Amino acid sequence: MIRFNDILTQVQTTDPTADLDLLKKAYIFSAKVHAGQLRQSGEPYLGHPLEVAYILAKLRLDTETVCAGLLHDTVEDSLVTTLDEIGNHFGDEIAMLVDGVTKIGKMTYASAEQRQAENFKKILIATAKDMRIVLIKLADRLHNMRTLEHMPRKKQHVIAQETLDIYAPLANRLGIQWIKNELEDLAFRHLNPAAYYQIILKLSKGRQEREKFVEEVIQLLKNLLESHNIFAEVKGRLKNVYSIWRKMQVQHLEFEQVMDLTAFRILVNSVAECYEVMGIIHNLWKPVPGRFKDYIALPKANMYQSLHTTVIGPGGERVEIQIRTIEMHLVAEYGIAAHWKYKEGGKFVYDRDSEKFAWLRRMLEYQQEVSDPKEYLDIVKVDLFSDEVYVFTPLGDVINLPAGSTPVDFAYRIHTGVGDQCIGAKINGVIVPLKTKLKSGDRIEILTRKGSHPNRDWLDFVVTSNAKAKIRDYLKKQERESSIALGKEMLEKALRRDKISLAKLEKSGKLNEVAEKLSYNSEGFLLASIGYGKLSVATVVEEITGEKETADEAKESSLERILRPLSRKEKGGIRIGSVDDVMFRMAKCCNPLPGEPIVGFVTRGRGITVHASDCPAVLEMDNERRVEVEWDNNVQGVTALSKIIIYSQDQPGVLANISKAISMEEVNIAEIHSATDKSTLEAQMTFSLQIKNLEQLQKVMKAIEKVKGVIRIERLRR
Ligand code: MN
């Protein structure tokens, strides 16, 4: 067990001027509060805060953080202490840290999944407030994981899974390698004990032989470097159990086939020496192609820097080697904590403006916009947990993005405006589809056009949380606008029967009054609610005229009345081209074409509005108003106007060739608009086409796609 003196010693090695009295006071306070309390293991509770404080001291954190570690459970686990008390005794800063940790700990959600998501969100929020809070939480979790076997079996599983899902990746992202490794192994041991102990067993069997080999390699490397006058520290480190298992899983290997169980590490004094050592090693042993990575020139997002290589070493064995400076090593071990620095007063300060934590800021930027914690977790997971690619801006700046990112992710990383108005991209000078996955080393140029907007389809391929949130944000705004327009249209029509002008109501402020009466914030919200189908027009009309609809009118507008003729007819559904007793109209928002899946919505006074099934407006419609409709295949010779937009290189002849391709498909062109973007030298053409059915549209679009110079083609819904 850790003794309080161990903590004092550890703190003093980091900061000889540390306030030891404050630490003593916190220790005594914690001991008093936890007196008589026991952990699940049956040991005195005080052992836990001591261990947590010791881990924090080992991370070389400041006295305030270590104190908060001693106090971190005093508010939560006992009813006698309040935050005010902590504030009075230890000051606002420590109280704030304790409060932050306590808040993360509270578990309010029933399902493990929901709780995990909510917890994670809280952690990020706390982190934004003060980085140290998350470090205390990590230390807390680390000790709880070390003593997990005392928990009930079912809880063990939940906690271990959460550790693997969230805390280990978080430690990784904060750059604290040893905590990440230990958390992973502890969680793995509880989640899959059979696999864990099998690897442990196999590791112990080959141990002597392996240790001999490791010693040999270390000596070889040392001698080699000394002969070049480089005096380096050379170490061999066994990889953690979980990472060995992951490798077996991902590459479908048996344990015996995992070659590089040990990673060798060479610590030198300067960056120049790093590259020199790399050269010397590659001169002696052949490097394995594709395994050399320069994280010095291109640091990871968690600030990690190193050269990595794998060589065919003595006896033909693969040897993995990491080369870095002592400074880089500190960052690799302590991560974020290594970036605390002394202020003049002798206190630690954290360089908040550092671009190094931009990823965290980005994730927090929009956490307020996404209220569902599960959705939030889903969004940020990719940013937090995946590998990275390194790409370049046209000016040569390095941008790192999660693996799988596309030009759209890149565009949003540069600036929201660039993302929103992105219409195309060049990778290494060549125009590519927007869904192309970026590779490290690519040089990306984004083509934009003023007034252009995000496309819903982008959501299918973007991976970064930032891009996802921004695109969703735009779509939401747009949906709201179209709902307002629809609501306005519906209300206008209904009022016309009473000879009331909506415009006058708006001008006189009467509509606002009505909105307020029906408890809507503004007339915009009122109209949007009508458009969404959440509020019936009748209710609003009634509020305006002060009269209830007559029984007849109500009957006339009822669902059954409009539907009856429909169900009496043969099961073909709506008839296109011969309007019988069912009124229908094609929704303007999506202009559905014969042959494509459709769905109808009953609207007051206008019969049935037919939308394409994948029309965004459908999602917002009231399900009670929904009716199944189908195309009547017997009707021929009907065409509908369909719009497409074509982006192409601005070359002579492209437009002519496109027109030719269209007429080859026997499609009439009703209208053409074209424009050229001078900055990107890209042409954009809008065609209105007379189309018979979906099949024909698809055929003609395919034909256009084949025209030389065409970059991208899209169907415009309106
Ligand atoms: Mn605790």
Side-chain angles (χ1 to χ4, degrees):
M1 197 179 114
I2 294 295
R3 293 162 310 147
F4 178 58
N5 270 334
D6 300 330
I7 298 173
L8 288 184
T9 312
Q10 186 65 43
V11 168
Q12 273 179 305
T13 55
T14 323
D15 177 9
T17 66
D19 185 350
L20 300 186
D21 287 338
L22 191 68
L23 281 164
K24 274 179 201 151
K25 206 169 131 188
Y27 169 59
I28 292 165
F29 188 92
S30 184
K32 255 187 208 161
V33 173
H34 292 304
Q37 262 186 315
L38 296 178
R39 292 271 286 178
Q40 292 271 358
S41 60
E43 283 168 20
Y45 197 93
L46 187 64
H48 170 65
L50 278 172
E51 293 278 358
V52 170
Y54 183 67
I55 293 168
L56 293 167
K58 257 179 74 180
L59 279 172
R60 315 195 313 166
L61 289 163
D62 58 353
T63 316
E64 282 77 11
T65 312
V66 180
C67 280
L70 286 168
L71 298 167
H72 82 273
D73 273 335
T74 55
V75 177
E76 187 176 17
D77 284 350
S78 67
L79 298 169
V80 290
T81 319
T82 63
L83 261 184
D84 283 347
E85 247 178 289
I86 304 272
N88 289 337
H89 284 98
F90 301 99
D92 292 344
E93 194 178 338
I94 291 177
M96 179 273 296
L97 293 174
V98 172
D99 184 37
V101 181
T102 309
K103 274 188 182 141
I104 296 174
K106 273 187 192 141
M107 298 174 179
T108 39
Y109 286 84
S111 91
E113 210 188 359
Q114 184 80 356
R115 188 175 65 81
Q116 178 178 322
E118 179 66 19
N119 244 345
F120 180 69
K121 198 171 162 183
K122 282 185 188 162
I123 290 170
L124 282 188
I125 295 168
T127 311
K129 210 169 161 197
D130 197 306
M131 238 6 137
R132 293 173 295 179
I133 294 172
V134 77
L135 297 174
I136 300 170
K137 191 65 203 169
L138 271 181
D140 181 40
R141 176 55 60 112
L142 182 58
H143 184 244
N144 284 338
M145 283 301 293
R146 284 175 182 169
T147 54
L148 194 61
E149 63 267 26
H150 303 293
M151 292 296 256
R153 189 76 194 95
K154 216 183 139 194
K155 264 195 168 171
Q156 281 181 16
H157 199 90
V158 172
I159 295 172
Q161 190 65 52
E162 188 181 54
T163 301
L164 205 54
D165 287 347
I166 289 180
Y167 288 91
L170 204 57
N172 179 43
R173 210 46 204 253
L174 296 170
I176 314 169
Q177 220 51 52
W178 69 271
I179 291 191
K180 176 216 157 212
N181 288 342
E182 192 176 338
L183 284 178
E184 276 181 354
D185 278 2
L186 287 166
F188 181 47
R189 195 177 91 203
H190 283 95
L191 290 170
N192 194 344
Y196 176 84
Y197 285 110
Q198 196 168 24
I199 293 177
I200 291 284
L201 191 74
K202 288 190 170 165
L203 281 174
S204 73
K205 268 189 190 153
R207 211 175 97 199
Q208 275 191 340
E209 215 177 307
R210 201 175 51 245
E211 276 173 0
K212 218 183 108 206
F213 175 72
V214 168
E215 233 357 271
E216 211 180 289
V217 172
I218 290 178
Q219 261 324 310
L220 258 167
L221 283 170
K222 268 195 173 159
N223 294 342
L224 177 69
L225 295 177
E226 270 168 35
S227 73
H228 285 82
N229 268 330
I230 295 173
F231 298 91
E233 199 179 320
V234 184
K235 281 185 198 164
R237 180 189 60 94
L238 193 63
K239 286 188 177 170
N240 70 326
V241 180
Y242 183 65
S243 70
I244 293 172
W245 184 76
R246 283 280 302 153
K247 189 165 195 169
M248 289 164 61
Q249 296 302 305
V250 172
Q251 302 183 13
H252 305 286
L253 299 175
E254 294 296 321
F255 176 84
E256 287 71 22
Q257 294 172 288
V258 181
M259 293 302 180
D260 30 15
L261 295 170
T262 313
F264 291 88
R265 189 173 289 153
I266 302 175
L267 301 184
V268 293
N269 290 308
S270 69
V271 173
E273 273 184 350
C274 290
Y275 290 101
E276 203 183 336
V277 168
M278 169 75 59
I280 294 168
I281 290 173
H282 282 181
N283 216 356
L284 178 70
W285 292 323
K286 274 219 157 33
V288 178
R291 293 298 303 268
F292 169 61
K293 292 197 180 90
D294 187 347
Y295 293 119
I296 292 181
L298 300 172
K300 289 193 183 187
N302 65 9
M303 303 163 292
Y304 177 85
Q305 285 187 297
S306 240
L307 296 178
H308 286 193
T309 188
T310 303
V311 294
I312 308 293
E317 291 242 27
R318 277 180 175 224
V319 178
E320 191 182 313
I321 301 172
Q322 304 168 351
I323 306 162
R324 55 199 186 221
T325 66
I326 291 160
E327 249 169 25
M328 292 171 189
H329 183 62
L330 281 179
V331 173
E333 289 293 300
Y334 296 107
I336 201 171
H339 282 262
W340 293 74
K341 57 184 184 192
Y342 281 107
K343 209 165 42 179
E344 278 132 51
K347 280 189 75 181
F348 277 119
V349 285
Y350 161 62
D351 181 9
R352 265 185 182 280
D353 303 325
S354 166
E355 196 25 53
K356 284 159 185 155
F357 295 101
W359 62 271
L360 186 63
R361 260 207 313 280
R362 281 198 301 275
M363 273 191 259
L364 290 159
E365 224 175 27
Y366 44 76
Q367 65 87 10
Q368 265 144 338
E369 289 164 32
V370 185
S371 54
D372 179 8
K374 255 159 88 179
E375 191 187 338
Y376 182 66
L377 183 60
D378 178 50
I379 292 184
V380 297
K381 242 182 187 166
V382 176
D383 271 8
L384 190 57
F385 304 151
S386 53
D387 285 340
E388 299 161 27
V389 290
Y390 302 85
V391 295
F392 295 93
T393 67
L395 292 176
D397 291 329
V398 180
I399 304 276
N400 53 11
L401 290 162
S405 288
T406 62
V408 178
D409 292 294
F410 176 88
Y412 276 103
R413 173 66 61 79
I414 299 297
H415 190 269
T416 305
V418 176
D420 280 348
Q421 304 190 6
C422 159
I423 52 159
K426 286 183 183 171
I427 295 183
N428 306 324
V430 180
I431 291 187
V432 296
L434 283 174
K435 63 177 180 209
T436 309
K437 295 204 186 314
L438 304 181
K439 291 193 295 292
S440 280
D442 282 346
R443 194 171 58 84
I444 322 290
E445 190 183 333
I446 297 297
L447 312 174
T448 57
R449 193 183 51 245
K450 248 203 165 102
S452 182
H453 297 300
N455 187 322
R456 179 173 288 271
D457 296 342
W458 293 355
L459 286 175
D460 295 339
F461 57 74
V462 297
V463 299
T464 53
S465 41
N466 187 36
K468 273 187 196 165
K470 293 282 158 58
I471 296 166
R472 283 186 197 180
D473 193 39
Y474 170 80
L475 290 174
K476 255 184 212 157
K477 267 189 207 136
Q478 193 201 30
E479 268 161 27
R480 186 177 137 82
E481 272 163 32
S482 58
S483 306
I484 289 180
L486 181 65
K488 204 165 177 174
E489 197 186 325
M490 287 165 78
L491 184 60
E492 211 160 29
K493 286 218 168 115
L495 286 171
R496 211 172 285 156
R497 289 197 308 187
D498 291 309
K499 308 232 161 27
I500 299 173
S501 145
L502 182 62
K504 275 188 191 158
L505 286 180
E506 279 180 296
K507 251 194 189 156
S508 66
K510 170 95 176 158
L511 193 62
N512 244 331
E513 275 173 42
V514 172
E516 255 168 55
K517 266 193 195 150
L518 294 169
S519 13
Y520 286 91
N521 281 336
S522 68
E523 52 183 70
F525 278 104
L526 179 93
L527 292 172
S529 298
I530 298 174
Y532 283 139
K534 285 178 190 154
L535 172 67
S536 87
V537 186
T539 312
V540 182
V541 173
E542 188 190 312
E543 192 60 48
I544 292 169
T545 58
E547 285 169 31
K548 277 212 179 291
E549 289 183 317
T550 65
D552 261 5
E553 275 170 333
K555 203 174 161 198
E556 197 187 337
S557 65
S558 75
L559 209 76
E560 292 79 4
R561 171 127 185 97
I562 301 173
L563 275 180
R564 206 171 302 127
L566 181 73
S567 48
R568 238 193 280 130
K569 279 168 68 158
E570 84 266 37
K571 277 215 155 152
I574 59 162
R575 275 171 169 271
I576 301 296
S578 63
V579 187
D580 281 336
D581 38 0
V582 185
M583 269 209 299
F584 73 89
R585 57 166 211 148
M586 292 298 146
K588 287 266 161 26
C589 52
C590 50
N591 283 320
L593 273 180
E596 77 179 307
I598 44 172
V599 59
F601 289 91
V602 177
T603 48
R604 188 189 143 119
R606 285 176 303 163
I608 293 164
T609 305
V610 180
H611 288 266
S613 298
D614 60 357
C615 171
V618 167
L619 296 173
E620 301 295 345
M621 297 292 222
D622 188 350
N623 251 333
E624 280 179 21
R625 298 192 293 153
R626 184 183 175 120
V627 286
E628 296 312 319
V629 290
E630 268 176 22
W631 299 102
D632 182 344
N633 292 328
N634 298 323
V635 182
Q636 297 285 329
V638 188
T639 59
L641 274 192
S642 249
K643 269 192 191 175
I644 52 173
I645 184 162
I646 300 164
Y647 301 98
S648 77
Q649 286 159 7
D650 189 26
Q651 294 164 352
V654 175
L655 181 62
N657 287 335
I658 291 172
S659 306
K660 204 168 122 197
I662 293 172
S663 50
M664 291 282 278
E665 297 296 325
E666 293 179 0
V667 168
N668 286 329
I669 302 170
E671 228 179 53
I672 302 178
H673 280 288
S674 86
T676 305
D677 187 327
K678 289 268 179 293
S679 66
T680 62
L681 285 181
E682 208 183 83
Q684 175 208 343
M685 290 161 270
T686 319
F687 282 78
S688 288
L689 305 175
Q690 278 179 336
I691 298 287
K692 277 191 279 199
N693 52 38
L694 185 65
E695 201 186 340
Q696 189 182 37
L697 179 67
Q698 284 164 345
K699 245 177 103 185
V700 79
M701 282 174 79
K702 260 201 197 115
I704 295 169
E705 234 169 25
K706 286 191 194 130
V707 173
K708 202 170 163 247
V710 169
I711 299 161
R712 197 156 55 92
I713 171 166
E714 251 171 53
R715 179 174 174 195
L716 276 184
R717 283 300 199 171
R718 67 177 98 196

